[in-house]
């Protein structure tokens, strides 16, 4: 027995020592990755920046996306627009970087405004006298829109260009909810405030159809005009190509239609890049990836600081609300604290709010509006609108000193609705749950699950929502220095493209994030300045812990997403319908704008 315990002890000690040594190696590896990831990247002469367009383009890549792929084997691929714009700007300024090589794959974006900002940065790079070459086996419509700016566009001999126009196919869940005995009790202000239609109708209302038709045609018009200018193809021809589904035509036909400049295989395009660099066939091309560019020194790091504060996602009331959302959220409690800190930070001379949000809680929007009002008393505040800054997203934008939007930003949607689910049919008819009631006052049971709201109770809710709408409208009128009647004429929940919002005086300027920064510098009277992003990107170990939490917490969601595909979003909305704040300033869910 004594020998047995000796052997057990020796085995346990060996396991412990093995794990200890492996832990040391793991930590050393992490430290090495941290050191290599934070070191300044030197750039060889005659270098090329490589943009691998695959995955999803987001306003900012999630903090854990790179760590997930590095450590946890996640296959997700996010590209942050902020990273892309910074990298292109650095590449333009660096004399050793001669051009950009775009290799397009299965690439997508929920926002043509983000693609437009990306494309404008590529155009600016090309105007500096440097070149861009693009290649793909298959171009998505979004990646072709970007690649069309290149000096030369190449495609695989058996490749495709997805070119079909833009469509919006909203979901309607009313009948699905009724199968479970659930009905939606709704009150809203604004004929165009169509976000609740998903739950209360089985088709688009005419006002909603009108506004969606207007903005998808406006987006497509921008795409057509820009591709036409770059490729020297008439707009009418590009429209005809979309109508005739050239997605399935031959590459020989694509060449004849001037959609591409040449047909070649992957290995052959390398020779074309080498020829552009005047290199010998046996030479290796010095390459810089998007990740490499993050560590290339930025030439503009001097002067006063302009903070760029990113506000992305649904606007929510706090941590409890945040837990119901997938992806980034604009948590009013966190944002208000952050903006208060920026107001007191003497190093920050101006603030640019980069907003990409379709709205959310009306209450949370009002809290952020107030904090921006406080911030304006100490600092210049300029709003830069990304893919959307609508409804609550416009609410928190409207009192900035200046507002800059992309031509294809979705904005406006000045309206509010209140939506409370009625579960009594599910509980009583489907599940057989019975209720009784005892109360002290007339409306003590307001909001009960035992029955739908009566006419009087709905009247109270109507009055509350109407008061919220009038406050929203007044915030816009005061911020934009317009009369209430003028705001009402362009409100009613109507969604506008940035270019139309500019005509309606909802924004001050059409342009990019850089344009917003330049305006902030001018208003703050800054000659030399640099930018700093907020909230700060988490350090390596924070990202690692976040990745592990996300992998643990979202496994079922990722499995559902993979299984359900395009039906995942409506199923998620059904699951979380009772978790949203009842009073919402939110624009319609806009699926499948591609």
């Amino acid at each position: 027995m004594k020998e047995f315990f000796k052997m057990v002890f020796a085995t346990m000690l060996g396991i412990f020592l093995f794990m200890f040594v492996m832990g040391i190696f793991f930590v050393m590896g992490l430290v090495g990755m941290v050191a290599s990831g934070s070191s300044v990247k030197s750039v060889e002469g005659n270098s090329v920046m490589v943009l691998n367009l695959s995955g999803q383009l987001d306003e900012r890549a999630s903090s854990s996306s790179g760590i997930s792929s590095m450590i946890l084997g996640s296959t997700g691929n996010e590209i942050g627009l902020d990273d892309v714009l910074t990298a292109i700007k650095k590449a333009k300024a660096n004399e050793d970087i001669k051009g950009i090589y775009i290799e397009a794959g299965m690439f997508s974006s929920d926002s043509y405004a983000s693609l437009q900002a990306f494309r404008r940065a590529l155009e600016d790079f090309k105007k500096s006298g440097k070149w861009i070459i693009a290649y793909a086996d298959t171009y998505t419509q979004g990646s072709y829109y970007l690649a069309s700016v290149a000096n030369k566009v190449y495609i695989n001999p058996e490749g495709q260009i997805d070119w079909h126009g833009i469509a919006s196919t909203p979901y309607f869940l009313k009948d699905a909810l009724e199968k479970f005995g659930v009905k939606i009790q709704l009150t809203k202000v604004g004929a165009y405030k169509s976000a609740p239609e998903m739950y209360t109708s089985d088709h688009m209302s005419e006002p909603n159809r009108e506004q969606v038709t207007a903005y998808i045609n406006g987006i497509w018009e921008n795409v057509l005009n820009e591709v036409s200018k770059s490729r020297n193809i008439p707009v009418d021809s590009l429209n005809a190509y979309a109508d005739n589904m050239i997605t399935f035509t031959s590459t020989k036909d694509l060449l004849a239609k001037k959609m591409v400049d040449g047909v070649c295989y992957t290995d052959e395009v390398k020779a074309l890049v080498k020829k552009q660099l005047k290199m010998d066939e046996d030479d290796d091309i010095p390459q810089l990836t998007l990740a490499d560019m993050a560590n290339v020194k930025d030439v503009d790091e001097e002067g006063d600081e302009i903070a760029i504060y990113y506000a992305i996602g649904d606007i929510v009331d706090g941590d409890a609300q945040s837990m119901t959302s997938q992806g980034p959220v604009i948590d009013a409690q966190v944002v208000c604290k952050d903006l208060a800190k920026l107001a007191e930070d003497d190093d920050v001379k101006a603030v640019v709010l980069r907003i990409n949000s379709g709205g959310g809680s009306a209450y949370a929007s009002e809290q952020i509006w107030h904090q921006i009002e406080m911030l304006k008393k100490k600092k210049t505040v300029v709003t830069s609108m990304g893919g959307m800054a609508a409804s609550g997203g416009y609410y928190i934008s409207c009192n900035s000193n200046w507002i800059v939007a992309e031509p294809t930003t979705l904005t406006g949607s000045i309206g509010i609705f209140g939506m409370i689910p009625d579960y009594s049919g599910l509980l009583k008819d489907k599940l057989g749950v019975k209720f009784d009631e005892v109360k002290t006052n007339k409306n003590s049971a307001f909001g009960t699950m035992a029955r739908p709201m009566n006419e009087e109770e709905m009247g109270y809710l109507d009055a509350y929502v109407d008061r919220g709408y009038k406050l929203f409208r007044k915030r816009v009128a005061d911020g934009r220095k317009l009369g209430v009647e003028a705001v009402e004429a362009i409100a009613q929940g109507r969604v506008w493209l940035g270019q139309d919002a500019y005509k309606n005086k909802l924004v001050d300027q059409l342009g990019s994030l850089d344009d917003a920064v330049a305006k902030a510098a001018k208003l703050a009277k800054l000659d030399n300045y640099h930018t700093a992003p907020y909230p700060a990107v988490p350090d390596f170990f924070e990202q690692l812990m976040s990745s592990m939490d996300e992998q643990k917490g979202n496994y079922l969601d990722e499995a559902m997403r993979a299984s359900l595909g395009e039906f995942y979003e409506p199923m998620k909305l059904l699951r979380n319908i009772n978790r949203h704040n009842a009073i919402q300033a939110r624009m319609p869910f806009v699926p499948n704008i591609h």
Side-chain angles (χ1 to χ4, degrees):
M1 183 64 70
K2 187 176 179 180
E3 291 298 318
F4 172 76
F5 281 116
K6 275 181 163 183
M7 291 176 63
V8 170
F9 177 75
T11 302
M12 292 178 64
L13 180 62
I15 293 172
F16 173 78
L17 289 173
F18 173 77
M19 294 182 68
F20 178 73
V21 171
M22 292 302 295
I24 291 175
F25 279 118
F26 180 71
V27 171
M28 289 174 64
L30 291 181
V31 171
M33 281 187 282
V34 172
S36 63
S38 61
S39 60
V40 175
K41 177 78 175 178
S42 61
V43 180
E44 295 181 44
N46 225 23
S47 290
V48 174
M49 182 175 127
V50 178
L51 284 176
N52 189 341
L53 298 186
S54 62
Q56 175 76 25
L57 178 68
D58 293 319
E59 187 69 43
R60 292 181 96 183
S62 66
S63 61
S64 59
S65 59
I67 302 300
S68 296
S69 59
M70 186 187 303
I71 303 296
L72 302 174
S74 170
T75 57
N77 185 13
E78 292 178 87
I79 301 175
L81 178 63
D82 58 335
D83 294 333
V84 168
L85 299 183
T86 299
I88 294 173
K89 187 184 295 185
K90 288 180 181 179
K92 175 188 171 184
N94 194 300
E95 294 180 356
D96 291 318
I97 298 175
K98 304 302 182 184
I100 292 176
Y101 169 62
I102 297 173
E103 186 162 291
M106 297 310 294
F107 177 73
S108 64
S109 174
D110 293 332
S111 163
Y112 270 93
S114 295
L115 291 172
Q116 195 168 38
F118 193 160
R119 194 178 191 278
R120 186 187 297 110
L122 291 171
E123 281 184 324
D124 184 60
F125 176 88
K126 199 171 77 166
K127 286 177 183 176
S128 70
K130 299 185 179 185
W131 51 264
I132 302 174
I133 290 176
Y135 174 83
D137 294 329
T138 298
Y139 289 97
T140 64
Q141 187 163 275
S143 66
Y144 183 77
Y145 172 55
L146 295 175
S148 64
V149 78
N151 299 82
K152 296 292 181 181
V153 179
Y154 297 99
I155 194 169
N156 185 285
E158 298 302 319
Q160 291 179 307
I161 295 176
D162 187 11
W163 188 255
H164 57 269
I166 298 175
S168 175
T169 53
Y171 301 104
F172 297 94
L173 306 176
K174 174 177 174 285
D175 292 347
L177 290 170
E178 288 183 352
K179 290 181 185 296
F180 295 95
V182 178
K183 295 182 179 180
I184 298 300
Q185 302 165 110
L186 172 69
T187 178
K188 72 184 181 79
V189 181
Y192 293 92
K193 197 66 182 175
S194 55
E197 285 182 4
M198 179 188 297
Y199 306 102
T200 61
S201 181
D202 58 6
H203 63 280
M204 298 174 77
S205 66
E206 284 310 308
N208 189 28
R209 186 177 298 279
E210 176 190 345
Q211 69 178 350
V212 173
T213 300
Y215 66 66
I216 66 171
N217 280 327
I219 292 170
W220 184 235
E221 181 182 335
N222 272 268
V223 172
L224 288 172
N225 288 334
E226 290 172 39
V227 173
S228 173
K229 182 178 178 182
S230 293
R231 296 298 306 166
N232 196 25
I233 303 172
V235 166
D236 288 345
S237 296
L238 289 170
N239 256 325
Y241 298 165
D243 288 339
N244 294 318
M245 284 297 289
I246 64 162
T247 302
F248 302 108
T249 195
S250 68
T251 53
K252 182 179 179 181
D253 193 33
L254 292 175
L255 191 60
K257 294 180 185 300
K258 299 183 180 179
M259 294 292 280
V260 297
D261 297 294
V263 176
C264 59
Y265 290 98
T266 308
D267 59 326
E268 294 171 326
V269 80
K270 291 180 181 178
L272 295 171
V273 174
K274 288 181 180 180
K275 182 178 180 181
Q276 190 73 39
L277 294 168
K278 299 177 182 178
M279 297 175 64
D280 293 333
E281 187 177 337
D282 296 332
D283 292 339
D284 292 326
I285 303 171
Q287 300 177 37
L288 293 152
T289 65
L290 199 59
D292 291 331
M293 292 302 299
N295 296 318
V296 171
K297 184 175 175 58
D298 193 338
V299 296
D300 297 321
E301 294 182 350
E302 303 299 326
D304 294 310
E305 180 178 317
I306 297 177
I308 300 177
Y309 190 89
Y310 288 87
I312 304 167
D314 286 351
I315 300 174
V316 299
D317 293 341
D319 292 339
Q321 288 284 321
S322 302
M323 294 298 288
T324 70
S325 298
Q326 301 299 317
V329 294
I330 302 172
D331 183 335
Q333 294 181 16
V334 173
V335 171
C336 288
K337 289 177 182 177
D338 288 347
L339 296 181
K341 289 179 182 177
L342 289 175
E344 299 301 323
D345 190 336
D346 292 335
D347 292 331
V348 175
K349 306 303 181 184
V351 178
V352 173
L353 299 172
R354 176 65 174 184
I355 296 175
N356 197 340
S357 173
S361 165
Y363 173 80
S365 300
E366 167 68 14
Q367 306 316 303
I368 297 171
W369 176 91
H370 171 75
Q371 197 62 55
I372 293 170
E373 189 71 10
M374 295 299 101
L375 177 61
K376 275 174 61 183
K377 292 179 179 180
K378 296 188 175 183
K379 309 280 169 76
T380 294
V381 179
V382 172
T383 288
S384 168
M385 293 179 169
M388 63 178 70
S391 202
Y394 189 77
Y395 199 129
I396 65 177
S397 304
C398 66
N399 66 332
S400 300
N401 297 106
W402 194 262
I403 301 176
V404 181
E406 294 285 351
T408 53
T409 295
L410 297 179
T411 187
S413 193
I414 301 165
I416 289 180
F417 64 90
M419 192 169 67
I420 298 178
D422 169 22
Y423 294 106
S424 59
L426 169 64
L427 296 170
K428 295 166 73 173
D429 301 334
K430 305 291 184 181
L431 301 179
V433 178
K434 304 300 182 185
F435 294 91
D436 210 332
E437 186 175 281
V438 177
K439 59 185 180 181
T440 61
N441 294 86
K442 184 179 179 181
N443 292 304
S444 295
F446 180 88
T448 178
M449 291 191 297
R451 58 172 174 78
M453 288 193 293
N454 59 41
E455 185 176 345
E456 182 180 357
E457 290 169 329
M458 284 300 296
Y460 290 127
L461 188 61
D462 286 341
Y464 181 67
V465 169
D466 187 60
R467 190 165 68 250
Y469 174 69
K470 288 177 180 176
L471 178 62
F472 188 176
R473 191 177 59 187
K474 184 178 186 304
R475 297 300 191 212
V476 175
D478 292 345
R480 301 304 303 157
K481 295 179 175 56
L482 297 170
V484 171
E485 296 79 10
V487 173
E488 179 65 14
I490 53 176
Q492 288 289 316
R494 175 93 186 230
V495 179
W496 301 96
L497 276 185
Q499 61 193 25
D500 298 318
Y502 173 71
K503 296 174 186 175
N504 291 328
K505 300 182 180 179
L506 289 175
V507 304
D508 298 294
Q509 180 182 350
L510 297 178
S512 64
L513 176 58
D514 281 347
D515 293 324
V517 170
K519 185 64 181 183
K522 183 177 180 180
L523 292 175
K525 299 179 181 178
L526 306 177
D527 294 324
N528 297 311
Y529 59 89
H530 68 280
T531 60
Y534 292 84
V537 177
D539 63 29
F540 181 88
F541 290 103
E542 288 175 326
Q543 291 184 44
L544 178 61
M545 294 301 104
S546 173
S547 297
M548 291 178 173
D549 288 341
E550 288 175 12
Q551 291 288 321
K552 179 181 178 181
N554 290 339
Y555 176 77
L556 291 178
D557 275 316
E558 290 305 315
M560 285 178 62
R561 187 185 294 273
S563 300
L564 296 175
E566 66 179 286
F567 299 106
Y568 171 78
E569 288 295 336
M571 291 302 104
K572 186 183 76 173
L573 288 165
L574 276 173
R575 184 182 66 182
N576 292 333
I577 191 172
N578 65 323
R579 301 179 185 176
H580 290 297
N581 187 299
I583 310 302
Q584 295 279 305
R586 181 186 297 277
M587 73 166 287
F589 173 54
V590 188
N592 295 344
I593 291 213
H594 55 75

